[in-house]
Amino acid sequence: MALEAQTKSIVAQFDYTDEDVNKGVKEFLRQMGEGLEKDGTSMSQIPTYVTAVPNGTEKGLYMAVDLGGTNFRVCSIQLNGDTTFNLTYTKVAIPKELMVAKTAQQLFAFLAKQIELFLRTHHEEHFEAHVRRRLTVSSPDGYMDENVFRLGFTFSFPVQQSGINKGTLIRWTKGFDIPDAIGKDVCALLQIEIDRLHLPVRVAALVNDTVGTLMARSYTSPGKTGAVLGAIFGTGTNGAYIEKLENLKKPLTGEYDKSTGDMVINTEWGSFDNQLNVLPNTSWDIQLDKSSVNPGIQMYEKRVSGMFLGEILRLALLDLLKDPKVSFFKDENSSSNDWKSTTNIAEDSSIYTEWGIDTAIMSVAAADNTPELSVLRQELESTLHIHSPAHDDAEAFKAIAGAVARRAARLAAVAIAAVVLQTGQLSASNDEPVDIGVDGSLVEHYPYFREMIYEALRIIDGVGEEGAKRIRIGVAKDGSGVGAALIALVAAGMEKSTTTADYFSELRSHAHAQSTSLTAVLEDNDEVTTD
Ligand code: BGC
């Protein structure tokens, strides 16, 4: 009984009421507006220099790489021009030590190496043709090597963009921490390592994964109006949307096409309400923030995204375990355990280790509707080394995990609704759906995550039942890869007036400003960079 009562009280602390949701939306809109006016606000509202979304007719072969969480992905994408594409990709886990490497060069060298492996496996012909061309062309000026892949670089961290393939890192998130990289142009860092390996690849576009998702969604499901928002609910969370240029009050430094009157904005909503004006704040949220690598930052992300939900759950469970009045994952004797055994938590159980619960187990808990919760109980045994958990233990686990996830989904609805309201699309006098592309492990794998978002959308002022019906949230799988390819395509168009030689000399002077040792590397690679 004590367990049931204590579980209820924990679950109640994760309640995020309809009133809270509406307050959240108002504050979200206010902070969005603030970010459009000036720099240095909690939501960065970063202009991306992307001014239009695709319509599905784009064609060509491009490369994309994606650094943004637990894995690094390299892919090549054939855009077929009929809203379809073919994607070839490899994925490798990022070694933990590189996430906190001493120098940025160590991380970027690893990334370039993966690009080389990918090209050798899937596009050997490009290497050969490129090398042949290099050996036969005598005059480098004005020469564009058609065998050089244009690469879209999806880099899913807050970056101050100053052009379509230029941007300096503002801060790391999601457990990465390499101070040496802050303030540097991440495209130049990657190009330098690519050149070191003599690869026929040019970093043509810098893309946040949310922008990629928005592009990919518009390519694959073009309606009359295209998608308005691309959002990620995965290891981290963020959204990019289409904003009217006239609402963007802070100064823009780079070149861009003004004809559409729009620009895609990377909100960096992971840092919404770092000041905690409206975000819920339980004792477990406070503990988690304290032990994170970036206390006080990404406060919304820490309540919503996959990297953190497992840890919030773990901290809440630990309180239950420590409570002397409650018998949780322990039995008086075998008669109080429905499997007629006694529960043991192995000493090495990762329930005792910081970040030891993977959010994936929350999906298992939510999906298990068997009367005995046998799937979840097996999972508790295999992943957390909790032997013979009783039915009531598993029920408590499921209830708390469900409450953490439900709060996350309702917070996700706050961001989605605020962006939709900001774009004014719901008041447009047509019946077109307001299209949103989403990607990430939570929307993909957590059962009913989208349903919980819709449930909250329906009670939001200005959205309501009718509005929620018009909002179409669809998964844009692999969005960041395809989207990056699409932006590389736009960038390749913009290159036409610039020769390869111009590009590299510009890149070189940029790199020089960053570090003299990096320039030395470029000098070494002269034969590649000026061919
Ligand atoms: C980063 C964003 C990114 C999001 C989703 C956040 O931690 O700051 O740039 O879009 O994660 O990957």
Side-chain angles (χ1 to χ4, degrees):
M1 273 300 101
L3 176 59
E4 206 182 312
Q6 266 316 94
T7 303
K8 272 202 181 128
S9 127
I10 293 179
V11 164
Q13 295 182 60
F14 288 104
D15 262 0
Y16 190 62
T17 65
D18 292 357
E19 199 190 330
D20 296 334
V21 170
N22 274 300
K23 252 207 215 141
V25 174
K26 283 203 184 75
E27 181 64 8
F28 202 100
L29 279 163
R30 192 191 69 76
Q31 294 191 22
M32 279 179 88
E34 196 178 58
L36 292 173
E37 304 254 324
K38 53 182 190 232
D39 288 326
T41 54
S42 55
M43 261 167 82
S44 303
Q45 297 280 69
I46 301 169
T48 62
Y49 295 87
V50 176
T51 55
V53 295
N55 60 16
T57 61
E58 294 76 6
K59 278 188 186 163
L61 177 64
Y62 293 88
M63 269 194 86
V65 293
D66 183 353
L67 178 75
T70 23
N71 297 306
F72 180 61
R73 303 200 331 151
V74 186
C75 40
S76 56
I77 298 112
Q78 179 70 53
L79 299 168
N80 298 325
D82 57 359
T83 81
T84 71
F85 60 85
N86 295 78
L87 181 131
T88 310
Y89 88 95
T90 56
K91 177 164 102 172
V92 29
I94 300 163
K96 286 256 179 312
E97 62 278 12
L98 283 184
M99 293 167 72
V100 291
K102 282 228 163 56
T103 64
Q105 195 263 335
Q106 291 168 310
L107 174 68
F108 284 83
F110 170 83
L111 305 187
K113 191 74 203 156
Q114 305 311 312
I115 297 176
E116 178 177 38
L117 290 174
F118 178 85
L119 285 176
R120 287 201 185 282
T121 313
H122 298 288
H123 296 282
E124 183 66 27
E125 74 290 352
H126 271 257
F127 263 120
E128 283 163 17
H130 172 71
V131 171
R132 258 199 318 277
R133 189 89 203 238
R134 256 176 46 212
L135 295 176
T136 53
V137 170
S138 52
S139 161
D141 287 341
Y143 155 61
M144 293 274 252
D145 185 346
E146 68 273 17
N147 292 302
V148 170
F149 266 115
R150 297 305 185 264
L151 175 133
F153 181 16
T154 300
F155 183 76
S156 307
F157 300 93
V159 160
Q160 193 60 55
Q161 243 174 297
S162 53
I164 204 144
N165 68 350
K166 267 195 202 67
T168 53
L169 177 62
I170 302 173
R171 62 176 178 275
W172 289 106
T173 58
K174 296 174 282 197
F176 279 71
D177 188 19
I178 311 171
D180 170 53
I182 310 276
K184 287 189 179 154
D185 178 356
V186 292
C187 283
L189 288 173
L190 182 60
Q191 188 70 56
I192 286 161
E193 297 308 318
I194 287 174
D195 291 349
R196 203 196 278 274
L197 299 176
H198 299 251
L199 307 178
V201 174
R202 169 176 175 173
V203 184
L206 176 61
V207 187
N208 186 270
D209 52 357
T210 54
V211 182
T213 301
L214 175 62
M215 295 289 125
R217 177 77 185 170
S218 292
Y219 179 80
T220 53
S221 64
K224 271 190 207 142
T225 46
V228 294
L229 167 67
I232 303 282
F233 297 102
T235 308
T237 183
N238 188 15
Y241 73 105
I242 303 175
E243 182 58 274
K244 297 254 167 311
L245 270 174
E246 70 207 29
N247 291 340
L248 188 55
K249 299 286 185 323
K250 54 188 177 190
L252 286 170
T253 47
E255 288 298 304
Y256 60 97
D257 170 12
K258 298 185 182 63
S259 66
T260 62
D262 292 328
M263 185 172 287
V264 174
I265 300 290
N266 168 12
T267 64
E268 284 298 335
W269 72 36
S271 265
F272 162 59
D273 202 24
N274 281 345
Q275 53 280 65
L276 299 180
N277 288 342
V278 294
L279 282 177
N281 202 25
T282 66
S283 60
W284 307 294
D285 294 307
I286 296 170
Q287 278 180 64
L288 177 144
D289 182 49
K290 267 198 193 134
S291 56
S292 68
V293 291
N294 53 357
I297 292 168
Q298 301 290 105
M299 298 303 252
Y300 173 81
E301 179 165 86
K302 283 174 181 158
R303 285 148 180 79
V304 173
S305 79
M307 173 155 181
F308 303 99
L309 299 188
E311 181 63 4
I312 300 179
L313 168 66
R314 193 187 73 85
L315 293 168
L317 295 177
L318 279 187
D319 274 5
L320 257 193
L321 281 172
K322 279 187 231 140
D323 189 336
K325 299 184 297 301
V326 171
S327 156
F328 180 51
F329 289 137
K330 54 182 168 289
D331 302 295
E332 287 270 303
N333 58 51
S334 58
S335 72
S336 56
N337 180 305
D338 64 320
W339 277 349
K340 301 294 171 240
S341 181
T342 52
T343 309
N344 281 294
I345 307 184
E347 269 172 33
D348 71 348
S349 170
S350 54
I351 201 165
Y352 299 122
T353 318
E354 262 190 342
W355 309 101
I357 294 190
D358 191 320
T359 301
I361 197 172
M362 297 170 65
S363 300
V364 175
D368 187 357
N369 291 317
T370 60
E372 293 199 322
L373 296 179
S374 45
V375 183
L376 172 61
R377 288 161 81 176
Q378 258 169 38
E379 191 71 16
L380 289 168
E381 292 234 23
S382 58
T383 61
L384 295 182
H385 301 165
I386 299 174
H387 301 294
S388 304
H391 183 240
D392 52 353
D393 295 333
E395 262 187 336
F397 185 99
K398 183 176 158 95
I400 298 171
V404 174
R406 183 157 192 274
R407 187 185 73 167
R410 292 172 74 79
L411 283 165
V414 166
I416 292 175
V419 171
V420 167
L421 292 172
Q422 170 76 12
T423 63
Q425 292 286 321
L426 280 179
S427 32
S429 57
N430 59 37
D431 294 335
E432 280 285 299
V434 179
D435 199 63
I436 294 172
V438 290
D439 198 2
S441 45
L442 277 178
V443 274
E444 233 191 290
H445 303 303
Y446 192 91
Y448 315 119
F449 198 78
R450 250 187 300 174
E451 284 73 4
M452 291 191 289
I453 291 178
Y454 273 112
E455 184 195 299
L457 286 175
R458 287 194 280 273
I459 57 86
I460 291 174
D461 300 341
V463 179
E465 291 279 345
E466 286 309 303
K469 268 192 213 141
R470 275 187 58 202
I471 298 177
R472 183 174 69 190
I473 304 177
V475 172
K477 183 95 185 90
D478 296 322
S480 52
V482 178
L486 285 158
I487 298 175
L489 177 147
V490 173
M494 284 166 61
E495 268 171 27
K496 282 191 180 115
S497 56
T498 322
T499 66
T500 313
D502 285 343
Y503 168 78
F504 282 113
S505 68
E506 201 188 306
L507 185 65
R508 181 185 281 122
S509 61
H510 197 65
H512 185 74
Q514 292 197 17
S515 141
T516 41
S517 62
L518 295 183
T519 314
V521 175
L522 280 168
E523 308 286 270
D524 278 341
N525 289 332
D526 256 5
E527 17 131 28
V528 177
T529 53
T530 55
D531 63 356

